[in-house]
Amino acid sequence: MTEKKPFYITTPIYYPSAKLHIGHAYCTTIADSIARFHRLAGEDVFFLTGSDEHGQKIQEKAEAEGVTPIEYTDKIVAGFQNLWQRLNISNDDFIRTTQKRHEKVVQEIFRRIYAKGDIYKGSYKGLYCTPCESYWTEHQLDENGCCPDCHRPVQEVAEEAYFFKMSNYQDKILAYIEENPDFIQPASRRNEMINFIKQGLEDLCISRTSFDWGIPVPIDEKHVIYVWFDALTNYLTPIGFLDDPEKFNKFWPADLHLVGKEIVRFHTIIWPCILMALDLPLPKKVYGHGWLIVDGDKMSKSKGNVVDPIALIDEFGADAIRYFLLREINLGQDGNFSRDALIQRINSDLANDLGNLLHRTLNMIGKFQDGIVLAPQGESEIDASLKADAAETVQFFDENMQKMELSLTIKKVWAFISRANKYIDETAPWALAKEPEKKQELANVMYNLVESLRHISVLIAPFMPITAERIWQQLNLPQAFAEVQLDDIRAWGGTPADLKVGTPEQLFPRIEVEKEEQPTKQPKANKQKKEKKADKKDDSGEVTFDEFSKLQLRVAKVLAAEKIPETDKLLKLKVDLGSEQRELVSGIANHYEPSELIGKNVVMVANLKPAKIRGVVSHGMVLAASQGDDLKVVSVDMPVGAVVK
């Protein structure tokens, strides 16, 4: 058996000064999706996240709350782990820098570099930012004399300390970055680091004596090891740096350190210098992602503009949050978080596009073929086109996920979902079902739809793992979803014939946003005029041409239809008017199954005032003709948007 290719990916270890916000969830969701993709591609993945728990800031917060630092961090870190569980993060290990296994690693690294002569004792007098745990020289401060990272005041400190001779590695790290253009990504971050190094690297203070919440320096226990020297080495601990050389040699160097852009400098300058001092290879890639912006400002615990991811998960579900973050934001760039945009994506992409495709497909198989997927025979040009699109999508997915083009990949998968929905309109299975001689053609269409959904389930698995498995289960495919690999969808035809599909269940209910209309006050004079006009109303039942001409009758295509719960007669329709899409309620459920209406070009009253019916804002009315118990909607062979006169 061929040994799997290893892939080691890490997130930053998060600082437990407060609860995590949606920006942290964004970073970890990116890493999780990349890890899930590499597992899907058949690789042996090790995915690490964790918490960075030492330092002066933590000690001060614990003292303020009247607890010990470990009691303080235990509580906060439990919240981290709960969030990752709620978001379905598939990390293989969770490192805490307070763990004994890590303390041993940090102290051994200190000993080795000290023995090499690259650590020395001195005294430090300089400028220190407690929130960032960073030392700065005066020329590095911002224009207000504050920390260049968080823009808060720094304080002057003076104390005995140990220093790491980072200046010894300045030329070596600069040459490495210039000779390995893929090491720092995106390119804009790489250029920033090159400029920073060229200003000159100073030796790094790596111990403190003014507080004691940290790992003791092994040769001088009145010192504790400064947080960055402690934190960065976390990446070595879980893969066996001290106790499992086989595992360590398998996974190191890391394939990807995923970090926020504000800590790229620590990961691409300080960390590589430490590794060079240890004679260890550098990580293959450090990727600095952008920030989540709220109202034009970076999301930050200190600024108080954070969005709580737990509340969002409770309201919308983890997969919807994951989808929005990964689709909406191009990796490496800043992205705006908006509740309205999230709801719009859920309604359009998840409820309408993906949810409707699954629901329509399973409903039609249940109605037309007793829930059985029959074996396909032959293919039409439309069938061949769908299969070609599927193959192209799988290839695109593979190539672009390797390049971490997450947003681009998701958009491509959704283009295939739209293609599958269009395939239903093109083949009109409801019409085929009415002609017995087209039974095989109908069977081909139903098979191709299930096979499309099988592909889609695998393709969305890195981004929306729970939804992907729910689709797989509703299709009732025999293969265990946990065992599925990307290779399983490289060829068409993996759905077994005579498969009995499951019962359709709604993936993503639409979210209705009610807009309160403010009543406008009418002047009394105008009101009296209107009342007088009403007195002159013609009660004959006839309307004038001018009155009739106010009605706007237009051709609309039914895109989706579903029964409104707890009603017998009402259907909710989504229609396309050419220039826009709308929802409306129609009392025709006793005469039509929802799937029969999809694809029909109907006549509707387009300028009917919106009304809320059973929680649905209905904007329009479909025309129908009735005689006795029989009713038919008025349908025409005219293009969408055509005016009916």
Side-chain angles (χ1 to χ4, degrees):
M1 183 176 176
T2 307
E3 189 174 345
K4 290 183 177 181
K5 176 186 174 185
F7 183 82
Y8 181 26
I9 179 172
T10 72
T11 71
I13 51 174
Y14 301 108
Y15 203 56
S17 57
K19 292 180 181 178
L20 298 182
H21 57 65
I22 194 69
H24 302 107
Y26 170 56
C27 177
T28 308
T29 301
I30 295 168
D32 183 67
S33 296
I34 294 169
R36 287 178 181 274
F37 163 73
H38 283 275
R39 291 192 195 104
L40 200 63
E43 298 176 23
D44 188 357
V45 172
F46 194 89
F47 170 23
L48 177 68
T49 189
S51 54
D52 172 14
E53 301 179 25
H54 290 128
Q56 183 178 349
K57 183 163 59 172
I58 295 295
Q59 184 165 319
E60 290 175 355
K61 281 186 169 286
E63 289 171 355
E65 293 194 12
V67 297
T68 64
I70 193 64
E71 288 172 333
Y72 177 84
T73 55
D74 280 348
K75 182 179 177 181
I76 299 289
V77 170
F80 291 9
Q81 292 170 319
N82 176 58
L83 174 57
W84 302 151
Q85 187 176 11
R86 295 289 307 279
L87 262 178
N88 299 303
I89 302 300
S90 62
N91 53 296
D92 296 286
D93 202 334
F94 187 96
I95 179 73
R96 296 184 62 177
T97 55
T98 51
Q99 292 169 337
K100 283 293 180 185
R101 61 172 178 165
H102 183 60
E103 181 177 321
K104 291 176 183 177
V105 167
V106 173
Q107 291 183 327
E108 178 59 23
I109 287 172
F110 187 101
R111 287 190 192 96
R112 292 186 188 183
I113 298 179
Y114 181 79
K116 192 175 182 178
D118 278 340
I119 291 176
Y120 63 93
K121 184 189 277 190
S123 60
Y124 183 83
K125 183 177 180 181
L127 304 168
Y128 183 68
C129 175
T130 299
C132 292
E133 303 278 5
S134 299
Y135 290 101
W136 301 102
T137 60
E138 197 163 332
H139 77 270
Q140 290 174 324
L141 301 179
D142 68 13
E143 62 273 14
N144 297 315
C146 294
C147 171
D149 279 350
C150 72
H151 306 292
R152 284 173 284 194
V154 295
Q155 63 189 74
E156 189 170 292
V157 296
E159 60 185 300
E160 181 182 85
Y162 284 90
F163 291 81
F164 168 51
K165 293 182 181 178
M166 199 162 68
S167 56
N168 283 359
Y169 297 92
Q170 175 175 320
D171 294 341
K172 193 173 180 181
I173 185 59
L174 181 61
Y176 185 88
I177 292 171
E178 290 180 334
E179 291 165 9
N180 295 273
D182 290 337
F183 173 55
I184 305 175
Q185 291 292 320
S188 58
R189 314 271 186 262
R190 177 175 174 268
N191 296 334
E192 290 169 8
M193 295 309 106
I194 289 173
N195 291 335
F196 187 91
I197 295 169
K198 285 182 176 179
Q199 292 175 22
L201 294 184
E202 297 187 354
D203 290 347
L204 181 70
C205 178
I206 60 169
S207 79
R208 300 287 300 276
T209 58
S210 55
F211 62 90
D212 60 7
W213 180 237
I215 296 173
V217 170
I219 60 170
D220 190 348
E221 294 207 351
K222 71 178 182 181
H223 288 253
V224 292
I225 292 173
Y226 162 64
V227 67
W228 282 107
F229 198 82
D230 163 11
L232 290 163
T233 52
N234 91 88
Y235 303 124
L236 304 180
T237 300
I239 56 169
F241 174 68
L242 283 185
D243 54 11
D244 192 342
E246 184 179 348
K247 182 178 182 181
F248 185 76
N249 291 331
K250 177 180 181 179
F251 286 110
W252 193 260
D255 293 88
L256 175 64
H257 288 325
L258 183 71
V259 299
K261 64 182 179 180
E262 72 279 9
I263 56 172
V264 168
R265 178 169 54 86
F266 302 102
H267 285 78
T268 59
I269 298 175
I270 296 176
W271 180 223
C273 289
I274 293 171
L275 290 168
M276 287 174 176
L278 289 168
D279 296 317
L280 289 176
L282 304 196
K284 297 173 187 175
K285 189 186 299 291
V286 178
Y287 198 108
H289 67 76
W291 292 333
L292 277 187
I293 306 299
V294 177
D295 297 327
D297 201 0
K298 179 201 171 188
M299 197 178 302
S300 164
K301 288 181 283 192
S302 62
K303 293 175 182 175
N305 64 341
V306 300
V307 176
D308 180 8
I310 292 290
L312 286 175
I313 294 167
D314 287 341
E315 186 173 3
F316 301 110
D319 273 10
I321 306 304
R322 290 173 62 111
Y323 174 79
F324 177 80
L325 293 174
L326 297 171
R327 186 214 179 278
E328 208 73 3
I329 303 163
N330 289 319
L331 186 58
Q333 299 177 13
D334 292 345
N336 189 58
F337 179 83
S338 159
R339 180 185 174 84
D340 289 344
L342 168 63
I343 291 172
Q344 186 178 356
R345 283 286 166 215
I346 292 171
N347 284 344
S348 63
D349 297 11
L350 304 184
N352 286 352
D353 295 343
L354 180 59
N356 255 349
L357 176 62
L358 177 66
H359 208 267
R360 292 166 76 187
T361 298
L362 296 181
N363 268 334
M364 288 188 292
I365 294 172
K367 182 177 180 181
F368 303 147
Q369 297 181 169
D370 295 323
I372 305 296
V373 181
L374 303 175
Q377 292 180 19
E379 68 175 18
S380 66
E381 286 186 14
I382 297 173
D383 298 340
S385 171
L386 179 73
K387 295 174 189 179
D389 284 347
E392 183 201 351
T393 303
V394 172
Q395 184 67 24
F396 185 97
F397 173 88
D398 191 3
E399 292 174 359
N400 285 274
M401 284 300 289
Q402 294 283 0
K403 296 186 287 187
M404 299 192 300
E405 295 280 4
L406 277 68
S407 178
L408 200 63
T409 302
I410 291 174
K411 290 171 184 175
K412 181 68 173 179
V413 173
W414 248 257
F416 180 66
I417 291 170
S418 296
R419 177 68 188 87
N421 274 309
K422 184 182 177 184
Y423 176 77
I424 295 177
D425 298 334
E426 291 172 330
T427 55
W430 49 88
L432 297 175
K434 293 176 181 177
E435 301 183 50
E437 68 275 13
K438 294 188 176 180
K439 181 180 178 180
Q440 185 58 55
E441 190 176 340
L442 175 64
N444 291 354
V445 170
M446 293 295 98
Y447 183 92
N448 290 335
L449 286 171
V450 171
E451 182 66 1
S452 294
L453 282 161
R454 188 180 74 89
H455 278 60
I456 290 163
S457 176
V458 177
L459 292 169
I460 68 170
F463 319 115
M464 307 171 68
I466 301 303
T467 302
E469 189 164 3
R470 286 183 66 196
I471 293 171
W472 197 267
Q473 290 168 349
Q474 288 189 48
L475 295 175
N476 200 29
L477 292 160
Q479 185 180 6
F481 188 71
E483 298 172 0
V484 171
Q485 299 278 285
L486 185 57
D487 284 347
D488 293 324
I489 58 167
R490 291 194 188 276
W492 190 265
T495 300
D498 300 322
L499 174 73
K500 174 77 173 176
V501 297
T503 305
E505 297 173 4
Q506 195 172 36
L507 293 177
F508 294 93
R510 279 188 60 82
I511 299 166
E512 302 298 345
V513 181
E514 296 185 22
K515 293 184 179 178
E516 297 290 334
E517 290 190 15
Q518 298 296 325
T520 54
K521 293 183 179 180
Q522 287 186 357
K524 288 185 178 179
N526 287 349
K527 189 175 180 182
Q528 288 171 353
K529 286 179 184 178
K530 288 196 174 186
E531 287 172 352
K532 287 180 181 178
K533 285 182 180 179
D535 290 340
K536 296 180 181 179
K537 183 180 176 183
D538 183 359
D539 293 327
S540 65
E542 295 180 342
V543 296
T544 66
F545 180 80
D546 287 341
E547 288 172 326
F548 175 77
S549 65
K550 291 178 181 178
L551 289 179
Q552 294 178 11
L553 302 179
R554 291 172 60 191
V555 176
K557 184 174 186 176
V558 180
L559 301 177
E562 61 183 72
K563 289 186 177 180
I564 294 180
E566 300 178 5
T567 68
D568 296 326
K569 298 179 180 179
L570 300 182
L571 291 179
K572 180 169 73 172
L573 308 180
K574 180 184 176 185
V575 299
D576 182 9
L577 284 162
S579 58
E580 62 175 311
Q581 295 181 3
R582 291 190 193 172
E583 285 189 342
L584 54 90
V585 175
S586 184
I588 56 176
N590 290 339
H591 304 276
Y592 287 93
E593 286 294 320
S595 58
E596 293 179 287
L597 291 165
I598 294 169
K600 279 185 176 294
N601 281 14
V602 299
V603 177
M604 68 172 283
V605 182
N607 64 333
L608 192 66
K609 186 176 180 180
K612 195 167 187 179
I613 304 171
R614 290 298 183 106
V616 178
V617 178
S618 180
H619 195 180
M621 177 189 292
V622 171
L623 298 188
S626 65
Q627 184 175 29
D629 293 333
D630 193 22
L631 179 143
K632 300 287 184 190
V633 297
V634 177
S635 59
V636 293
D637 185 19
M638 288 291 288
V640 169
V643 177
V644 179
K645 299 179 179 180

